[in-house]
Amino acid sequence: NPLNLIRNFSIIAHIDHGKSTLADRLIQRTGGLTDREMTHGQMLDNMEIEQERGITIKAQTVRLKWKAADGQTYTLNLMDTPGHVDFAYEVSRSLAACEGALLVVDAAQGVEAQTLANVYQSIEYDHEIVPVINKIDLPAAEPEKVRHEIEDIIGLDASDAVLASAKSGIGIDEILQAIVDKVPAPKGDASAPLKAMLVDSWYDPYLGVVVLVRVMEGVLKKGQQIKFMQAGTTHLVDRVGCMTPKIEQLNDLGPGEIGFITAQIKEISEARVGDTITDAKRPAAAALPGFKEVQPVVFCGLFPTDAAEFEKLRDSLYKLRLNDASFSFEMETSAALGFGFRCGFLGLLHLEIIQERLTREYDLDLITTAPSVVYKMHLSHSKNEEAKTIELHNPADMPDPNRIESIEEPWIEATIYTPDEYLGGILKLCQDRRGIQKELTYVGGRAQLKYELPLNEVVFDFYDRLKSISKGYASFDYAQVGHREGDLVKMSILVNEEPVDALSMIVHRGTAEARGRGMCERLKDLIPRHLFKIPIQAAIGGKVIARETISAMRKDVTAKCYGGDATRKRKLLDKQKKGKAKMREYGSVSIPQEAFIAALRMG
Ligand code: GDP
Ligand code: MG
């Protein structure tokens, strides 16, 4: 393929602005699939959850053929990128594999937080950006207003933005022509040593580990011995191909081309996104820049509701990990919940997706413990140990408080867009969550807020709260800005005098009391009455900071004794105590499963 006939582009958009629908339309228009093969909408989103939630988790790439106005047939490689901040690194690798991007903006919604975040990333990669104003078929569409927003807020010339409706098929040819006209052709020397970027990898039950690559220089061939420069491993290429979106086998991929290879790789953890692939015998002098190992930032415990399902949970986690190297897990035991796993995620959405897949695809009933971020704990020396810094993923592993010199927690910078009328509520939410306001500006009739917030305060229900305060209109995006010292303490929850490890959490001292009170109040409603009185307490160290009591459901049996027979009265009370003892044997109080999650929601 001559380089001048190749165009590599991705589609960037805020969630729900129509990226997947447009991708389908482009595939359909260029004949990659017959109408009959487009059976279910959204060809690129092949996981069930993706379809239902309308989000794209794994980047996918399709090779399209398009005969442009000049009569030449172009190869257009469309990379679908994940639209959510949790997958920012995958987005960034996909963008690095392209020369241009279609910027899709909803004609009724206008520019949103993720539109901006994605566009800035795209600009960082020197992309040529082709603006598309989508959903012009909607009665509420205001394409001219949105055109001005793109110019005012993003600073992009939108005078020739394509007006489109991915749904009704309006503007599709214009979009394809604009890609050919505006996106630059890739560059690269076919005779140089091989240098290809590992854009993505996934596990396919038939093909094994499939690796998506973008060749920068040299040629990647079937039968070639290749080397992953970061991982240091070598592999024999046994398949080269591309997706149209059907799998098509090829002999090689040259500079500027995007396609996939298989190379008898056992686990996707060996094929890390961002690695550089080179020829084992004639390696490139240097790897491509910017490789980053992604690390989980949010952790929580997952426990089977039914202890007998532990093995099934483990098998399911292994299967999920086959396709998601960024997700981690290790065994954990909890006094309250038994055997389970401590799992690490890239963010909250990632957590929810995994949780949902386990429930839905693997039919598991799960208890999820409080999500926790990664704390850095600086410990002083003890009798047996030197002073050291540890990373804490689980509040249950909190070291001896006497040894803690200081604790650092991760912070983020959040960008929030909101219509004016919800601004007050959102400012209050950010303040309540220890936010530091950095910026408040007005763009296109909406407020743009920048806040620094401790990630700890965001992982619980910040996003839900933001959506409910703004009736769904505010949009949110964030980037991590490093660890900072904070006055943090471990808060334990005691039910019937016993700490419930699954409910313990690390909180800021200043908000501990309010948080503790809220937890106790909610647990009081969530735990059913028992035959005995149940105190619910929140405590820091040995000190109780909040308390509620669930009164006993006791039948007033002693009343029948007419106050007379003291021995009989005692006997009855003893009998009840035994009943209570038996309950305790089974783990004292039965806490309903939903209480673990519901208790964490803040008012
Ligand atoms: P994504 O999150 O950006 O991938 O968005 P989707 O492609 O999943 O689209 C989100 C929703 O908008 C879906 O319900 C689509 O059917 C709808 N949608 C997409 N494009 C259009 C359009 O041009 N017009 C209308 N009316 N709806 C659209
Ligand atoms: Mg989508």
Side-chain angles (χ1 to χ4, degrees), residues 19-20 42 45 54-56:
K19 190 174 72 168
S20 301
Q42 314 226 325
D45 295 349
I55 52 169
T56 306

Side-chain angles (χ1 to χ4, degrees), residues 75 87 103 136 138 157 187 193 208 231 243 279 301 344 350 370 417 419 421 512 523 585:
T75 299
F87 308 100
L103 169 67
I136 57 161
L138 288 176
D157 177 9
K187 296 191 186 79
M243 281 157 292
D279 189 307
H350 192 206
Y417 266 90
E421 63 251 55
L523 281 169
E585 241 175 51

Side-chain angles (χ1 to χ4, degrees), residues 273-537:
V273 171
D275 206 340
T276 302
I277 301 170
T278 192
D279 189 307
K281 297 201 189 79
R282 189 182 161 229
L288 295 162
F291 176 79
K292 189 176 95 188
E293 191 108 28
V294 285
Q295 298 289 352
V297 295
V298 177
F299 287 79
C300 79
L302 293 180
F303 293 84
T305 311
D306 176 359
E309 291 210 307
F310 173 78
E311 295 288 329
K312 188 176 164 193
L313 173 59
R314 184 175 55 195
D315 291 347
S316 310
L317 292 172
Y318 271 112
K319 281 190 191 133
L320 283 182
R321 216 193 115 83
L322 278 179
N323 250 327
D324 187 351
S326 55
F327 153 63
S328 70
F329 63 94
E330 57 184 52
M331 214 182 108
E332 180 185 9
T333 50
S334 150
L337 303 173
F339 290 104
F341 294 91
R342 190 82 193 159
C343 304
F345 309 90
L346 295 179
L348 272 190
L349 181 85
H350 192 206
L351 184 160
E352 276 176 40
I353 288 168
I354 297 277
Q355 206 177 304
E356 235 178 276
R357 292 191 63 186
L358 288 167
T359 317
R360 205 191 297 210
E361 292 170 35
Y362 296 92
D363 199 26
L364 284 156
D365 238 344
L366 296 173
I367 296 174
T368 313
T369 65
S372 166
V373 298
V374 179
Y375 297 95
K376 283 191 188 152
M377 306 247 159
H378 300 288
L379 306 180
S380 62
H381 68 91
S382 72
K383 239 188 290 169
N384 314 318
E385 262 189 319
E386 310 241 305
K388 61 177 178 179
T389 299
I390 60 162
E391 289 198 342
L392 186 82
H393 298 171
N394 188 348
D397 302 333
M398 187 87 164
D400 172 8
N402 296 321
R403 276 190 70 191
I404 300 174
E405 305 248 277
S406 63
I407 305 179
E408 288 177 49
E409 61 180 331
W411 279 66
I412 58 161
E413 185 182 82
T415 305
I416 300 166
Y417 266 90
T418 178
D420 226 5
E421 63 251 55
Y422 310 114
L423 183 62
I426 292 174
L427 289 174
K428 177 162 188 317
L429 174 67
C430 291
Q431 293 301 336
D432 289 349
R433 302 293 170 92
R434 297 193 277 137
I436 302 169
Q437 189 179 310
K438 303 305 273 187
E439 223 178 279
L440 170 56
T441 46
Y442 288 87
V443 273
R446 271 181 300 174
Q448 178 189 300
L449 270 172
K450 279 199 196 291
Y451 258 91
E452 287 181 345
L453 288 153
L455 183 59
N456 162 323
E457 302 284 342
V458 175
V459 293
F460 292 102
D461 61 347
F462 183 85
Y463 193 60
D464 290 350
R465 296 281 304 140
L466 184 72
K467 283 289 170 195
S468 88
I469 291 170
S470 68
K471 302 199 167 68
Y473 283 108
S475 56
F476 168 73
D477 195 38
Y478 70 86
Q480 296 195 58
V481 291
H483 277 73
R484 293 179 195 169
E485 193 172 328
D487 188 7
L488 301 161
V489 288
K490 175 179 167 182
M491 181 171 77
S492 308
I493 300 293
L494 294 87
V495 175
N496 205 22
E497 317 278 334
E498 278 185 28
V500 179
D501 53 359
L503 290 173
S504 66
M505 57 168 80
I506 290 169
V507 292
H508 191 260
R509 200 184 296 275
T511 56
E513 207 184 307
R515 188 75 71 83
R517 209 177 316 118
M519 285 276 280
C520 291
E521 280 165 14
R522 277 185 299 278
L523 281 169
K524 185 183 173 190
D525 294 335
L526 291 161
I527 299 175
R529 284 180 163 204
H530 285 55
L531 288 168
F532 47 92
K533 182 169 85 174
I534 307 171
I536 299 174
Q537 297 158 308

Side-chain angles (χ1 to χ4, degrees), residues 15-21 42 54 134-135 137-138 165-167:
I15 210 148
D16 278 346
H17 282 197
K19 190 174 72 168
S20 301
T21 311
Q42 314 226 325
N134 188 36
K135 306 199 189 182
D137 61 293
L138 288 176
S165 165
K167 195 173 175 185

